[in-house]
Amino acid sequence: MEAPREIFLKDYKMPDYYFDTVDLKFPLGEECTIVSSKITVFPRIEGSSPPLVLDGQDLKLISIQLNGKALKENDYDLGPRRLTIHSPPSGKFILEIVNEIHPQKNTSLKGFYKSSGNFCTHCEAEGFRKITFYQDRPDIMAKYTCHIEADKSLYPVLLSNGNLIEQGDLENGKHYAIWEDPYKKPSYLFALVAGQLQSRDDTFITCSGRNVALRIWTPAEDVPKTVHAMYSLKAAMKWDEDVFGLEYDLDLFNIVAFPDANMGAMENKSLNIFNPKVVLASPETATDADYSAILDVIGHEYFHNWTGNRVTCRDWFQLSLKEGLTVFRNQEFSSDMGSRTVIRIADVSKLRNDQFPQDAGPMAHPVRPHSYIKMDNFYTVQVYHKGAEVVRMYKTLLGSQGFRKGMDLYFKRHDGQAVTCEDFFAAMRDANDVDFAHFLLWYSQAGTPIIKVNSSYNPEAHTFSLKISQEIPPTPGQPVKESMFIPLAVGLLDSKGKDIPLSTIYHGGTLQSISRDGQPVYTTVFRFTKKEEEFVFSDVFERPVPSLLRGYSAPVRLESDLTDSDLFFLLANDSDEFNRWEAGQILARKLMLSLVDDFQHNKPLVLNKKFMDGFKSILSDSSLDKEFVAKAITLPGDGEVMDMMEVADPDAVHAVRTFIWKQLASELRAEFLSTLKDNRSSEEYVFDHPNMARRALKNIALAYLACLEDPETANIVLHEYNTATNMTEQFAALAAISQNPGKTRDDVLADFYGKWQHDHLVVNKWFALQAVSDIPGNVENVKKLLTHPAFDMRSPNKVYSLIRGFCGSLVNFHAKDGSGYKFVGEIVLQLDKINPQVASQMVSAFSRWKHYDENRQKLAKAQLELIMSANGLSEDVYEIASKSLAV
Ligand code: B3K
Ligand code: ZN
């Protein structure tokens, strides 16, 4: 094996050759597949003929021809990763290569593989090189045809990108299909699927009146579960036309649900391939969260057709150009289809629980990373979710119309091209004629900015001042940081809780008017760009309570001088619903951290009465949206709380959470019981916001009640489980029951498995629920589950449920005796032999080992060292483990 090689953004060079057309042939065999490719090649500089270097991995080369002439062995060099053709002809030429691959043996699920009897590809990133020799980089965009031949009874369905231009029968029970994609694309968007599949068919009429055939392919028995996916696809197609004026560009759009996949989904041109968990749903088997994820992910992959496929990335460092933008687009889509506030809350919670911790640890990297060993390790929350926040900031700064103008210009300039984050920035800037070059730092500087705000009111001058400072903590390779361009949305509340109309602001030596065209303005966006700045509102006639960072206008940590009573006031009154929730969360975070401190000093834990009253008033406020209430009475996640601690203490966080949870449940028992009663419904399952909100509120009440462990509530929860008519309520009741060890838990878990053992997706939920359990000593149960007949280490979904689930347990993954770390360390090494990409996701659980106490540091470090010393370690795991140890 070649030593792991780090690739740097600064080393980017334009390719020496471009490809124009690519014709591929796949006669699918039971032992192996012989891939033939015919590529039209032309040099970037006319007349030059430098060596042509092709990527290729795990391929057996059979032959190479240039312009119809076979190459001799000394005309080329074949290494484990590359094929170099020494002296290609100058000018345009035809390159033909034949090679052999073994999809049946490919357990990495990257490139071309076979699973559950069907063939499938996954090429992003750098996976096409496992299919054939190619310049496997996104700035090589070409037009493809794909000719597939296979046994007709075993593989009746043959799919690839673009349009089906020919199909027919061959001798010996075989058949063939030829697909042609009229759009140029990079190799990572190539796809091929062959197997026993059936489809749900529908049609979408585009805004220009074209009929697009829509097909969702699954094994026959799952077709009934694709109704919601089809609804989501049509909604996404319409939304992109309405909001961005983007129309689908072919007459066919295929989605395939393929059982074994490393990730959620893949946006291959006109042939999206999905993990079934984000396609298949029925009320009996999928939860509201699953339904929402399907809407989100179907939208995301569809939106890639423009943001990713028509305009793609120049190189992999630019990944956020397509991913950050497309996540932003699917967030907006889901917000328009449901509740904007609730979606925003969920997105910000994800940032705090997952993105902030990564940005503060050894794997911190900018939205546009500077280097990678294995690109697959950089499909991260930084690139996706912080990247989406960066796109959101353009919109906050430019307004909806300005943002749309920028998007229009981006497509006008770059359709059919492979471009960079600067190109996106330039389109936004030029379309709006604004100057904010400083904003580009968001792409290159890692770390979460800390913003401090101090306020003061001058009753004589009627001015209200906000003094703001920023600091960005050091991250690996970036010890010193520059100040960022931070859009800070601010409003002011009067003593009655109403928004104060904002008239003028004094900043940087000038007085600027805020009100526009005589219309009152209640929220203004500061452009905060220096280390320290002051913004002074005038005409403020009473001391206001400021509502800062409205809608979470920038991905920062905000520290302000707001008092607890200001926060309770905002919780009760802010017109910005997101900030109402936020005020409650700040209070909850403070409370949890102070109780953690008490716990660590062996002080008795006491729940602040004001907090409980605030909680109670939210719970009983019938004017509030029910899903908002459910979110508001949910405590900040473990990841978020631990991230705020100097030394993360899983035992203390677990003890405090359990304490608050139980206290609230017992003090508000009556309220939770009536919430439960008021939100039952015997109506059929409907996926819409009011019904989801009702179920969310009912389910959280149930979870609180279950922790009381008294016979009456235990019976109520069991009754909910037994009478539930949909998975959202059944699974919530199961989860509530499984908090408490004992016979009821065991019986209900067994009953649930008995009911659903035939349904893989439901069984995965059952694995995950047991894996994440904080019941002490659960590592033994999880070990047992590894041998359960339904578990399979080769299936990523099963590994994610059981192993990643286990890593989420404060008590058991972080067990003081090291049993959790040892267990996961061993699994990483086993998994690495099967599927390095999945293994590297599991090793990431150790990344923040330095954030824990000395004992845990020692135990986790030992596992990382053991992993590093293993023979034949994959580059994927090597990169995460070595970077984790390097801090
Ligand atoms: N672009 C794919 C991600 C591929 C993952 C590669 N390891 C799905 C998506 O983000 O849409
Ligand atoms: Zn994506």
Side-chain angles (χ1 to χ4, degrees), residues 265-566:
M266 180 60 217
E267 70 265 25
N268 315 297
K269 181 77 185 187
S270 74
L271 177 53
N272 285 191
I273 298 177
F274 275 65
N275 190 317
K277 75 171 188 249
V278 276
V279 177
L280 305 180
S282 70
E284 299 72 34
T285 58
T287 62
D288 286 341
D290 297 324
Y291 271 78
S292 301
I294 291 170
L295 183 77
D296 223 39
V297 181
I298 295 248
H300 180 96
E301 305 309 330
Y302 174 74
F303 300 143
H304 267 315
N305 190 51
W306 278 95
T307 50
N309 301 4
R310 291 284 290 252
V311 183
T312 194
C313 303
R314 184 194 72 173
D315 55 73
W316 288 116
F317 298 102
Q318 318 296 330
L319 181 62
S320 196
L321 173 82
K322 73 176 179 84
E323 295 304 348
L325 178 53
T326 307
V327 170
F328 167 77
R329 275 154 53 69
N330 75 251
Q331 289 176 347
E332 287 297 290
F333 168 58
S334 290
S335 301
D336 287 345
M337 301 295 291
S339 154
R340 182 160 283 271
T341 305
V342 167
I343 300 285
R344 190 71 189 128
I345 290 171
D347 292 337
V348 174
S349 296
K350 170 133 191 98
L351 288 177
R352 293 202 173 117
N353 279 291
D354 301 339
Q355 188 257 315
F356 282 17
Q358 191 181 63
D359 219 3
M363 275 302 289
H365 55 269
V367 164
R368 176 167 56 190
H370 298 299
S371 72
Y372 64 83
I373 291 176
K374 200 72 195 169
M375 188 56 212
D376 289 327
N377 284 332
F378 287 82
Y379 284 72
T380 59
V381 274
Q382 313 303 328
V383 169
Y384 275 63
H385 294 89
K386 189 172 180 183
E389 294 301 313
V390 171
V391 175
R392 186 173 296 282
M393 287 190 284
Y394 286 108
K395 188 173 174 204
T396 302
L397 289 163
L398 302 171
S400 294
Q401 285 180 359
F403 183 74
R404 171 68 196 267
K405 280 204 278 182
M407 289 291 281
D408 290 350
L409 185 61
Y410 175 64
F411 294 119
K412 190 164 165 230
R413 281 181 177 172
H414 301 299
D415 188 12
Q417 297 176 5
V419 302
T420 64
C421 298
E422 274 87 2
D423 292 316
F424 184 78
F425 168 83
M428 287 290 154
R429 178 196 60 202
D430 299 347
N432 292 282
D433 200 15
V434 287
D435 171 24
F436 47 86
H438 194 53
F439 188 84
L440 280 169
L441 266 183
W442 280 107
Y443 292 103
S444 56
Q445 201 162 254
T448 309
I450 301 163
I451 309 298
K452 293 194 176 142
V453 180
N454 276 304
S455 59
S456 60
Y457 180 61
N458 182 333
E460 280 87 47
H462 300 146
T463 57
F464 182 67
S465 145
L466 293 171
K467 282 202 179 117
I468 312 180
S469 66
Q470 60 168 297
E471 196 181 308
I472 302 104
T475 47
Q478 292 187 331
V480 183
K481 302 289 168 95
E482 287 174 49
S483 298
M484 312 279 281
F485 185 129
I486 295 166
L488 200 74
V490 177
L492 304 178
L493 272 66
D494 69 15
S495 53
K496 295 204 179 63
K498 294 269 165 290
D499 273 322
I500 299 178
L502 308 175
S503 59
T504 48
I505 188 132
Y506 183 77
H507 169 243
T510 55
L511 193 67
Q512 297 153 19
S513 168
I514 298 177
S515 60
R516 254 176 263 121
D517 312 324
Q519 294 298 313
V521 170
Y522 299 110
T523 301
T524 187
V525 180
F526 297 161
R527 293 177 173 207
F528 171 45
T529 58
K530 304 199 177 73
K531 176 128 186 63
E532 280 177 4
E533 288 184 65
E534 184 177 19
F535 296 82
V536 184
F537 290 99
S538 34
D539 305 327
V540 183
F541 298 102
E542 60 171 311
R543 179 180 186 79
V545 176
S547 168
L548 305 166
L549 202 67
R550 279 188 157 172
Y552 199 62
S553 60
V556 299
R557 297 176 196 258
L558 177 70
E559 294 174 11
S560 78
D561 57 357
L562 288 175
T563 62
D564 283 4
S565 74
D566 290 336

Side-chain angles (χ1 to χ4, degrees), residues 23-97:
D23 299 314
L24 297 169
K25 215 166 170 184
F26 290 86
L28 304 180
E30 284 314 295
E31 292 297 317
C32 67
T33 291
I34 308 290
V35 184
S36 309
S37 78
K38 182 174 178 186
I39 309 173
T40 329
V41 186
F42 61 95
R44 180 167 55 84
I45 300 167
E46 188 57 48
S48 73
S49 58
L52 169 60
V53 183
L54 303 172
D55 303 292
Q57 209 179 315
D58 308 333
L59 305 175
K60 186 170 155 203
L61 177 65
I62 297 177
S63 67
I64 322 175
Q65 290 191 1
L66 289 186
N67 286 336
K69 222 174 123 218
L71 285 196
K72 297 195 200 69
E73 271 192 22
N74 55 359
D75 293 334
Y76 62 86
D77 233 13
L78 180 61
R81 296 291 172 88
R82 267 165 290 280
L83 168 67
T84 306
I85 300 171
H86 299 309
S87 315
S90 57
K92 201 166 180 162
F93 62 91
I94 306 286
L95 168 68
E96 287 171 277
I97 298 183

